[in-house]
Amino acid sequence: MTLRVGPSGVRLTVPPRASARQIDSFLRASESWVAEQRRRLAPAPPPLRDGDRLAYLDDVLLLEVAPARGRRAAAGREGSRLTVTAPAGDDPGRLVEGWYRREAARVIAPRAQAAAAALGGQAGRIAIRDPRSRWGSCSSTGTLSFSWRLLLAPETVLDYVVAHEACHLRRPDHSPAFWALVADAFPAHAGARAWLRENGARLHRGPAWRWEGLSPS
Ligand SMILES: [Zn+2]
């Protein structure tokens, strides 16, 4: 079987005798490869601008870009408004991402410690990163790493990934015993995993991903 990803979509070529089950497992195994190819083909997301809506867990933030006029570059949230002070020539998107990364550390660290404690363990360092194809990881030394882009997903998805990685402190594999731990720690895991399969690649389009392609209202 071969898969091709082009600008008009994904083409699967199947030998005549392939069974539905073989096709299905081939497609499942290729899922992250297809997502990666589609991401490469997609044009870069448009730069963030004043007035854009941004995803933040279950909330929507309104981006306000203020010229710096001699002030230092800064980004801060007040209520549902994220205000970025950008010196001329500075990309507001870079400042927005910096803000999300700091928020991710603030929001995720206590959740990860609580999830680890609930399982009778203890997390080591909590790191915020931006990996290409995973949302979290657990090192052999107990460092839990998370993608800042989890803040662009519903809160339940973030909590699922935190629970998943905390469970790896107990079991570093994806064995049935691991999944039993996850089911115990986070009963709604199937829905969160389905959400990530469906929407995960789009989080790489940036904080305005939910509204991309929609006309401004
Ligand atoms: Zn895992």
Side-chain angles (χ1 to χ4, degrees), residues 151-177:
L151 290 188
L152 310 179
E155 190 162 3
T156 174
V157 172
L158 166 67
D159 284 333
Y160 157 67
V161 174
V162 167
H164 180 120
E165 298 311 331
C167 288
H168 277 317
L169 292 168
R170 294 266 302 272
R171 286 206 73 107
D173 51 28
H174 287 120
S175 60

Side-chain angles (χ1 to χ4, degrees), residues 2-3 10 33 56 64 67 74 84 137 151 165 180 185-186 189 209 216:
T2 58
L3 259 179
V10 180
W33 180 83
Y56 183 93
E64 186 180 71
V84 164
S137 61
L151 290 188
E165 298 311 331
F186 200 85
H189 66 101
W209 72 270

